[in-house]
Amino acid sequence: MPNAIDELVSVSAQTGEVTLAGARCVNCGEVVFPAIQDCPLCVEPDVMEPVPVRGHGVLRDYVLAERGPEGFAVPYLQAWIALDDGPVIYSTLAVADPRTFSAERGSPMTMILEQFGTGDDAFQGWKFAADAAADV
Amino acid sequence: MSEAYVVGTGLHPFGRYPELTVPQLARTAIWNAVRDGGVAAKDIDVAYVANCYNGYFTGQADALAPLVFGRAGLSGMPMIHVAGGGAAGSVAVHQAALAVLSGQYRMALAVGVEKVFVPGNPAASISAIATSGEQTTATQLGLTWVGDLTMSARRLMTRYGWTARDFAMIASKNRGHAAANSDAELQSAISVEEVLSARMVAPPLTRPMCSSAAVDGAAAVLIADAETAARIGSGRHPRIAAMGVVGGQYRSNRLPDDRPGMLSMDEAGRAFALAYERAGIGPEDVDLAQVHESIAPEELLAYQVMGLCPPGDEAKLLHSGATTLGGRVPVNTDGGLIARGHPIAASGVAQVVETARQLRGTAGARQVEYQGRLPRVGAIQNAGAQGGPSGGVAVSAAFLLSS
């Protein structure tokens, strides 16, 4: 079953890096994700051009969720990531043990793709993992 | 200048009612409001129902208004369904009040009703309320309301020096208030130590510091113009002194965002600035408040954004006892979302029910008095539904009622 998120992510065959389908305003330069046509900052129509947004950023906030929606194994980590290209996005964190995870705000993080859900509802979604250099 | 008055209030008790449907919950609140006001139901000439999840659970996504009002025996007036997550009830009240203020309708009904409890499946309730957030990029990847709000709370603990004990004090206070509310979901008092030692939901928040998603209930208010209100009962009714209603504002992601980041509160300061200006009063005039504490830290932040204290003094205000029943400005006198319960679309209407009853002096065992007199001004803060580029709420509402 197609999922709207399929249109938003692509993976480089060479590097394995994940890129997001963002948009940049030709008037004011604001970059948003997901891509839209109309600028929310200068409030003008048809001014956004497609732009790739890198799947890399820094950790802004995170929390351990001991309860979650249907289909989510608890506990898991919820986080807000400030992408290097501007937009702030939500993600779970890919870590070995959510309970012992600890990181400073501003830690560099990289997007990876993982399967969410099962059966007909399965889709490819994103998670973020701490950069190798920071993961000591 | 036209005026709008709250002339009737009604509830269906909040709790778990798997045997009742959304229309059944709603009819109890509607007729309790009609009886409370002593009005003729045939005089209701516009009706709004706030509901968010009936479609999710039953498939009946539209045509809810004629079902809810029709099955309560009402017909003929325009019947309008509104949504908006935790703000849905405020949206209904706002629209009902605007309808009366427009001069085109004399008496409006606003009911908020929600049925979210699923026996034996708490995750189903979490999944349902997640539909009030953005699906593609957030909720289907696991973002929850409690998780999102707690991330903000953790950051604000550093900024304002809040502690888990402060959150426990909020929970204990509101549970204490609800112990005097027979319509509340949770009517048992709980100590600060018990709150702290309860099971963890999202560190540092424990279960009693969070409202539950798995709650059913309904609330209704009748709003009338001055001429109609004067003919009802004693003729003296709480007035809607002002409404300040705004939505999430997009901010450039190239600039630092200095807003506190807690969804329900990001825009509340703007909403209250509008409401205070329109009412010609200030936060020092507020005698009691109902705020949207779906988790306890939101109530602390509400003290600041409503102007009850300067930034950083939220915990001090709490510790002083000012916001507890008997204090200078009691907050969440009916138990709030944490203890009265948070059946999403019913909450905003229930806040108006409680405020009106307090101003009338009919709040029973939890009646607020200030220096031997009834309260004169009640403030209400509410917000909900989130998504889009701003990442903000659909509606942030500030209502001021006066006696």
Side-chain angles (χ1 to χ4, degrees):
Chain A
M1 196 183 222
N3 187 297
I5 202 170
D6 297 341
E7 307 294 318
L8 303 182
V9 288
S10 57
V11 188
S12 160
Q14 284 79 39
T15 65
E17 282 175 15
V18 183
T19 303
L20 298 167
R24 183 199 289 115
C25 178
V26 298
N27 279 347
C28 71
E30 186 77 355
V31 174
V32 303
F33 171 78
I36 48 178
Q37 287 78 48
D38 313 313
C39 181
L41 186 60
C42 60
V43 197
E44 293 290 339
D46 301 311
V47 288
M48 306 296 280
E49 58 181 14
V51 65
V53 169
R54 289 169 291 165
H56 188 268
V58 296
L59 183 64
R60 202 185 72 170
D61 296 298
Y62 73 95
V63 69
L64 181 71
E66 297 274 8
R67 289 292 181 276
E70 291 166 303
F72 279 79
V74 291
Y76 66 103
L77 290 158
Q78 301 182 19
W80 286 104
I81 308 291
L83 296 174
D84 295 340
D85 292 326
V88 176
I89 66 168
Y90 162 78
S91 181
T92 60
L93 298 182
V95 300
D97 183 358
R99 286 191 196 283
T100 57
F101 176 81
S102 174
E104 295 291 322
R105 285 168 58 81
S107 301
M109 311 288 290
T110 297
M111 182 178 274
I112 56 175
L113 295 185
E114 277 194 23
Q115 181 180 306
F116 283 68
T118 53
D120 288 347
D121 294 331
F123 65 94
Q124 185 100 310
W126 63 72
K127 292 187 177 180
F128 274 78
D131 281 4
D135 191 16
V136 284
Chain B
M1 167 120 182
S2 58
E3 293 185 326
Y5 295 81
V6 179
V7 298
T9 63
L11 294 171
H12 183 290
F14 289 9
R16 296 175 168 185
Y17 300 96
E19 72 283 9
L20 296 179
T21 64
V22 159
Q24 286 169 331
L25 290 163
R27 69 165 289 278
T28 300
I30 291 167
W31 283 99
N32 280 343
V34 169
R35 278 189 287 263
D36 175 63
V39 306
K42 287 178 179 173
D43 291 342
I44 297 168
D45 48 18
V46 61
Y48 297 87
V49 56
N51 176 269
C52 301
Y53 313 116
N54 192 66
Y56 179 87
F57 283 115
T58 73
Q60 183 75 58
D62 202 357
L64 192 65
L67 286 170
V68 160
F69 296 116
R71 287 182 179 174
L74 305 179
S75 63
M77 76 287 282
M79 295 170 268
I80 300 159
H81 175 199
V82 300
S90 295
V91 172
V93 170
H94 185 227
Q95 294 302 312
L98 289 178
V100 168
L101 292 169
S102 76
Q104 295 201 26
Y105 301 95
R106 313 211 79 159
M107 185 154 64
L109 168 63
V111 56
V113 55
E114 210 71 79
K115 180 176 168 59
V116 192
F117 171 60
V118 180
N121 190 358
S125 300
I126 296 173
S127 293
I129 68 166
T131 62
S132 294
E134 184 160 353
Q135 180 181 19
T136 303
T137 58
T139 60
Q140 72 170 353
L141 298 172
L143 182 66
T144 61
W145 288 100
V146 166
D148 195 5
L149 292 163
T150 305
M151 283 191 263
S152 297
R154 285 159 58 91
R155 176 154 30 84
L156 296 181
M157 290 172 79
T158 307
R159 191 188 295 184
Y160 300 128
W162 302 345
T163 65
R165 178 166 289 272
D166 295 330
F167 305 154
M169 287 179 69
I170 295 277
S172 180
K173 169 181 80 71
N174 292 351
R175 289 283 290 270
H177 290 175
N181 181 2
S182 59
D183 291 315
E185 176 202 5
L186 302 172
Q187 298 174 30
S188 59
I190 184 170
S191 72
V192 171
E193 299 306 325
E194 285 172 313
V195 176
L196 285 169
S197 61
R199 110 175 130 71
M200 203 61 85
V201 169
L205 299 190
T206 63
R207 180 65 197 81
M209 298 178 193
C210 307
S211 62
S212 169
V215 185
D216 312 324
V221 294
L222 288 160
I223 298 173
D225 65 16
E227 197 181 314
T228 306
R231 291 199 306 265
I232 294 170
S234 67
R236 292 181 52 81
H237 304 279
R239 186 170 63 91
I240 298 176
M243 300 185 289
V245 179
V246 303
Q249 174 70 53
Y250 185 85
R251 307 275 184 104
S252 173
N253 56 41
R254 289 167 288 174
L255 299 170
D257 189 347
D258 57 358
R259 291 174 298 178
M262 197 170 269
L263 275 178
S264 58
M265 301 296 163
D266 258 353
E267 310 292 352
R270 267 201 307 139
F272 270 93
L274 271 177
Y276 287 135
E277 185 191 338
R278 286 170 179 167
I281 62 174
E284 67 280 2
D285 298 307
V286 172
D287 292 326
L288 80 156
Q290 315 301 324
V291 308
H292 188 85
E293 53 22 310
S294 62
I295 64 171
E298 289 178 282
E299 181 172 321
L300 279 177
L301 189 54
Y303 298 167
Q304 175 196 133
V305 298
M306 296 173 75
L308 300 181
C309 70
D313 281 3
E314 302 84 12
K316 200 165 100 183
L317 185 71
L318 171 71
H319 297 168
S320 76
T323 59
T324 306
L325 272 175
R328 182 176 57 78
V329 53
V331 175
N332 286 331
T333 50
D334 63 356
L337 274 54
I338 281 176
R340 176 240 294 142
H342 185 29
I344 307 291
S347 284
V349 183
Q351 291 178 313
V352 180
V353 169
E354 172 68 6
T355 304
R357 290 177 179 180
Q358 289 284 357
L359 296 178
R360 295 188 315 205
T362 58
R366 60 181 189 280
Q367 180 63 49
V368 171
E369 288 191 4
Y370 181 69
Q371 295 181 342
R373 63 160 172 84
L374 291 176
R376 290 175 183 145
V377 175
I380 295 166
Q381 177 274 326
N382 180 257
Q386 180 252 342
S390 80
V393 292
V395 166
S396 176
F399 297 156
L400 295 169
L401 269 59
S402 64
S403 57

